[in-house]
Amino acid sequence: MKKHKSSIKADANMEVVANCDNPATISIENRILTIRGLQVMVDRDLAELYQVDTKVLNQAVKRNIERFPESFRFQLSNNEKDELVTNCDRFNALKHSTSNPYVFTEQGVAMLSAVLKSETAIHTSIRIIEAFVAMRNFLMNNASIFQRMERLEMKQLKTDEKVDAILDKLGKDKKPKEGIFFQGQIFDAYVFVADLIRKAKDRIVIIDNYIDDSVLLQLSKRKAGVTVDIYDGQISRQLRQDVTAHNAQYPGVTLHSYQKAHDRFMIIDEDVYHIGASLKDLGKKLFAFSKMDVMTGSEMISKL
């Protein structure tokens, strides 16, 4: 069967990107779908890989539901399920199902091995997480999209502590100096910016004419004491209110009116990054980023 991918519009703000090959021939990587901007796997695909019934898998999760927040596992809407069935033959069995399937993020997959408690589950989780990491890092860790993917080496996963260690390791990948994000890589781009924000030790400077509260949400991830200066040419009343509310809990953000910038930049301490799209729109369309070596953050700020 010839491989093909479908971009499925579910709700106005949701997109499902699915590989619709024959389930007997597709790899783990091709079972990873993009739903609501997140890379996930459907419970039925996971159950097949874990060699258990879908019902058994979901029952194990329900018995340990406190380990699976919505960022680890969520249920598809009716529209998402219908579009998935329409475009992917392997999900035809869901057409008349009264219960919508659940999908798991890579963190949810890591947690599954702890609740299924079998050697197969342990080894399968490691293989699946490696597939997630390989896809997520294909562009992140290389300036060229044609370089070989860097895979994460993991030791055997048997306890909750090892699950936490793996999740911690997933967040410590080396940051690239330049790269490309394609349309639909919303979560990948979100993670990239979040990691930059977490890396800041003293200050963050953002030059972007389209800041909104979604960017402030990202900035809440910064270390305590890190100040933020936002240079925006269109400071609305709503943005001022959002920043005031943000500062009540995460103090240190200052707005500056600045109408002389065309491109978007982010300064992390002394590192200057050129960002090809507004921070609130990362991943919605093709864009590139690069770390600038022509001047330090202090030199650039002095010229504003």
Side-chain angles (χ1 to χ4, degrees):
M1 179 180 292
K2 183 178 180 180
K3 291 185 177 181
H4 62 285
K5 289 189 177 180
S6 301
S7 179
I8 307 168
K9 294 290 184 181
D11 297 330
N13 62 339
M14 299 177 184
E15 184 178 45
V16 179
V17 180
N19 187 293
C20 302
D21 292 350
N22 186 317
T25 63
I26 59 178
S27 64
I28 292 177
E29 287 87 350
N30 286 332
R31 293 175 188 259
I32 297 175
L33 318 179
T34 301
I35 300 178
R36 303 182 193 177
L38 302 175
Q39 289 184 328
V40 298
M41 291 185 69
V42 179
D43 53 8
R44 281 153 178 75
D45 277 347
L46 284 168
E48 181 179 333
L49 291 170
Y50 285 123
Q51 300 177 28
V52 298
D53 290 337
T54 305
K55 184 177 181 180
V56 171
L57 184 145
N58 283 320
Q59 284 177 341
V61 171
K62 288 180 181 178
R63 288 194 297 268
N64 298 272
I65 195 63
E66 70 281 355
R67 300 186 182 187
F68 291 89
E70 191 169 357
S71 59
F72 282 29
R73 167 187 179 262
F74 60 87
Q75 192 170 27
L76 296 187
S77 68
N78 289 333
N79 285 343
E80 289 167 334
K81 183 194 76 171
D82 292 344
E83 293 294 337
L84 196 59
V85 170
T86 299
N87 288 273
C88 295
D89 291 341
R90 77 173 189 270
F91 294 116
N92 278 342
L94 295 174
K95 186 174 184 179
H96 303 293
S97 174
T98 58
S99 177
N100 291 349
Y102 287 89
V103 295
F104 293 76
T105 65
E106 63 183 285
Q107 293 88 348
V109 170
M111 192 62 72
L112 274 175
S113 65
V115 301
L116 292 177
K117 299 178 181 179
S118 71
E119 289 297 318
T120 298
I122 292 169
H123 294 300
T124 300
S125 288
I126 291 174
R127 289 171 55 213
I128 294 173
I129 294 171
E130 285 177 340
F132 269 108
V133 174
M135 293 182 67
R136 180 163 63 89
N137 291 340
F138 181 68
L139 295 178
M140 294 276 289
N141 290 337
N142 299 281
S144 170
I145 65 172
F146 300 107
Q147 291 181 348
R148 187 171 55 186
M149 289 187 233
E150 179 180 327
R151 294 184 177 271
L152 180 65
E153 295 181 358
M154 296 182 179
K155 293 185 177 180
Q156 193 177 44
L157 175 62
K158 292 183 177 179
T159 64
D160 290 349
E161 289 77 15
K162 288 186 178 181
V163 172
D164 292 338
I166 284 180
L167 296 180
D168 183 63
K169 191 171 182 180
L170 291 175
K172 293 182 178 179
D173 295 327
K174 183 180 179 181
K175 297 298 171 292
K177 292 185 63 175
E178 58 185 13
I180 299 172
F181 288 95
F182 288 89
Q183 181 179 4
Q185 288 189 284
I186 296 174
F187 183 67
D188 292 346
Y190 181 91
V191 169
F192 169 69
V193 172
D195 286 348
L196 287 180
I197 289 171
R198 291 190 184 98
K199 187 177 71 171
K201 296 179 180 178
D202 298 311
R203 68 178 178 186
I204 298 171
V205 179
I206 296 174
I207 303 173
D208 189 333
N209 289 331
Y210 301 98
I211 296 295
D212 65 6
D213 57 352
S214 67
V215 179
L216 297 177
L217 177 62
Q218 283 273 54
L219 290 172
S220 68
K221 304 176 187 299
R222 71 189 189 276
K223 294 182 179 72
V226 173
T227 62
V228 180
D229 289 281
I230 297 175
Y231 291 82
D232 190 330
Q234 303 178 29
I235 301 178
S236 64
R237 178 182 298 178
Q238 183 63 59
L239 180 58
R240 292 188 185 279
Q241 291 175 347
D242 290 340
V243 169
T244 298
H246 177 91
N247 280 337
Q249 186 172 356
Y250 305 101
V253 176
T254 304
L255 283 172
H256 305 270
S257 179
Y258 189 75
Q259 299 179 345
K260 298 180 180 180
H262 178 273
D263 290 1
R264 274 75 58 180
F265 296 89
M266 176 178 283
I267 299 173
I268 306 297
D269 297 325
E270 291 299 317
D271 294 335
V272 180
Y273 289 85
H274 177 259
I275 311 290
S278 176
L279 294 181
K280 72 180 182 66
D281 295 323
L282 297 182
K284 295 180 180 179
K285 292 184 178 180
L286 171 70
F287 78 95
F289 70 91
S290 59
K291 183 179 177 182
M292 311 295 293
D293 294 325
V294 294
M295 64 176 61
T296 65
S298 297
E299 291 171 338
M300 184 169 183
I301 292 170
S302 69
K303 296 179 181 295
L304 295 180

